Amino acid sequence: MSKILVTGGTGYIGSHTVVELHHAGYTPIIIDNLSNSNLQILDQIEKIIGVKPEFHQFDLCDEAKVLEFVKNNTDIQGIIHFAASKAVGESVEKPLKYYRNNMFSLINLLQAYQGKKIDFVFSSSCTVYGEPDVLPVTEAAPVKKATSPYGNTKQIAEEILAETAEANANYQVIALRYFNPVGAHESALIGELPLGVPQNLLPFITQTAIGKREKLTVFGGDYDTVDGSCVRDYIHVVDLAKAHVAAIRLLEKGNPNGKYDVFNIGTGKGYSVLEAIAAFEKASGQKLNYSVGPRREGDVVQVWGDVNKSASGLGWQASLGIDDMMSSAWAWEKYLSENPIG
């Protein structure tokens, strides 16, 4: 079985991707510094797939540690790179943290493996489109000036990857530009596990519903959208994880589009924040305590993706809808209330 390195593999998307890689017949190997995750997630993964994945704890910004790992793991055939700081709001407040963590980790990894043939799947984001001119946004849309340091790190990373793939015969790269991951595994054994105050909408919704948070604030109610709140393309994390498996498979076969390619990963449908709240209330039967507050710096008003290229090129499309997203996230929150992690 092919060994696939999953950086950030105990994180939210990473842990679900480890599960789907195993189901697809791959052997996932995890590197994570546990800065935004918990070691107990390995036990949770084991409950789902029956084996505990190989795990290495260190920071990819440590070049010496990366080189040591590569020296001792010569049989890695693919890399799925999630490890990065990822909160838009925090990146505006702490830009240097984001540039250091997100850039150094990627460069160290690419340098260390440049002498070996590697299939590389990068965790990119729809934030590279900024505020798009046309919706739904396609992969051919211009990459605009980022609205946050987080978004800018994704743009810079894509440029680094494209140029590295072009210059290095050993690299094939796919960047998956995904929209807003939500939901949890159907077992309710893994899901989004933010440390401290959640930076993303859905864990704040579920934590408010269960009583961990007193109230949810919706950032902005005066945008030019269906109800004044921001609009996003929410994608179930299990569908998203399966897209990474599809990307690895495409690279194994050889991507006819060349050594570097990008794909949108979403549902192709936008929901406003208030619509997402209503969907959660319907799926959970819980009335949410929330209010509409001022806009948040760095937020894009509305974005959702055209996913035709992913359907035709990756042979992948989302199968889980908004009700699945909300009900699974709520099941995970209830599990955590009885089985705390961390």
Side-chain angles (χ1 to χ4, degrees):
M1 294 187 290
S2 297
K3 290 187 176 181
I4 307 297
L5 174 61
V6 184
T7 72
T10 58
Y12 176 39
I13 306 170
S15 60
H16 288 81
T17 301
V18 166
V19 168
E20 295 306 324
L21 283 166
H22 175 83
H23 289 334
Y26 295 97
T27 300
I29 298 172
I30 298 171
I31 294 175
D32 204 308
N33 66 0
L34 301 180
S35 63
N36 194 37
S37 59
N38 190 285
L39 192 59
Q40 194 177 333
I41 294 300
L42 291 175
D43 298 323
Q44 300 298 104
I45 293 172
E46 184 179 13
K47 291 174 185 176
I48 298 171
I49 66 177
V51 294
K52 185 174 288 188
E54 182 179 331
F55 173 75
H56 302 263
Q57 182 180 348
F58 65 90
D59 192 330
L60 289 167
C61 292
D62 186 332
E63 184 179 7
K65 290 283 182 65
V66 175
L67 290 171
E68 180 184 4
F69 174 84
V70 173
K71 180 181 177 181
N72 296 327
N73 294 270
T74 59
D75 53 351
I76 300 290
Q77 293 166 290
I79 298 172
I80 302 178
H81 183 50
F82 294 109
S85 301
K86 64 182 182 65
V88 169
E90 185 190 45
S91 78
V92 174
E93 299 167 3
K94 302 175 181 179
L96 290 179
K97 171 186 175 180
Y98 276 69
Y99 287 115
R100 181 189 183 279
N101 192 40
N102 295 7
M103 297 294 91
F104 287 5
S105 59
L106 174 64
I107 291 168
N108 285 344
L109 202 56
L110 290 172
Q111 283 184 325
Y113 273 107
Q114 63 183 338
K116 177 176 171 49
K117 187 180 185 305
I118 286 290
D119 296 329
F120 198 104
V121 178
F122 177 62
S123 167
S124 192
S125 168
C126 66
T127 58
V128 302
Y129 299 120
E131 197 75 61
D133 297 320
V134 178
L135 291 169
V137 63
T138 73
E139 291 86 350
V143 171
K144 293 188 171 184
K145 179 175 171 55
T147 59
S148 69
Y150 163 74
N152 201 28
T153 66
K154 293 300 183 183
Q155 292 182 2
I156 295 168
E158 285 198 11
E159 292 172 358
I160 290 170
L161 285 162
E163 291 166 2
T164 300
E166 181 65 29
N168 193 319
N170 288 331
Y171 280 116
Q172 286 190 105
V173 179
I174 285 177
L176 299 182
R177 293 173 175 172
Y178 34 86
F179 289 75
N180 287 59
V182 295
H185 192 265
E186 62 184 1
S187 65
L189 291 170
I190 54 174
E192 191 164 6
L193 188 66
L195 301 184
V197 179
Q199 298 287 329
N200 296 330
L201 174 65
L202 200 51
F204 212 113
I205 286 177
T206 58
Q207 288 188 11
T208 303
I210 211 157
K212 288 183 184 177
R213 307 286 164 192
E214 180 182 353
K215 188 178 185 180
L216 168 72
T217 299
V218 177
F219 296 114
D222 58 351
Y223 289 109
D224 185 17
T225 61
V226 62
D227 55 24
S229 63
C230 290
V231 173
R232 296 291 183 268
D233 185 342
Y234 296 100
I235 173 77
H236 198 294
V237 67
V238 172
D239 278 333
L240 178 55
K242 291 177 178 177
H244 292 81
V245 178
I248 285 288
R249 283 179 167 156
L250 176 58
L251 291 175
E252 285 178 334
K253 291 187 298 183
N255 185 2
N257 288 339
K259 295 176 85 280
Y260 177 81
D261 204 2
V262 298
F263 292 93
N264 284 342
I265 304 297
T267 63
K269 179 174 175 56
Y271 290 92
S272 74
V273 173
L274 293 177
E275 286 174 331
I277 289 171
F280 174 80
E281 290 180 333
K282 177 185 174 185
S284 66
Q286 304 293 309
K287 192 67 179 172
L288 204 65
N289 182 25
Y290 71 92
S291 64
V292 178
R295 298 182 180 191
R296 180 174 61 179
E297 187 178 356
D299 277 344
V300 170
V301 178
Q302 55 183 350
V303 61
W304 62 92
D306 183 308
V307 292
N308 288 317
K309 183 181 177 184
S310 294
S312 60
L314 285 179
W316 170 94
Q317 58 185 7
S319 62
L320 299 168
I322 192 76
D323 291 340
D324 301 302
M325 300 175 203
M326 298 300 168
S327 60
S328 63
W330 181 231
W332 163 243
E333 190 65 64
K334 289 188 291 184
Y335 173 86
L336 283 178
S337 70
E338 299 174 2
N339 306 274
I341 293 176

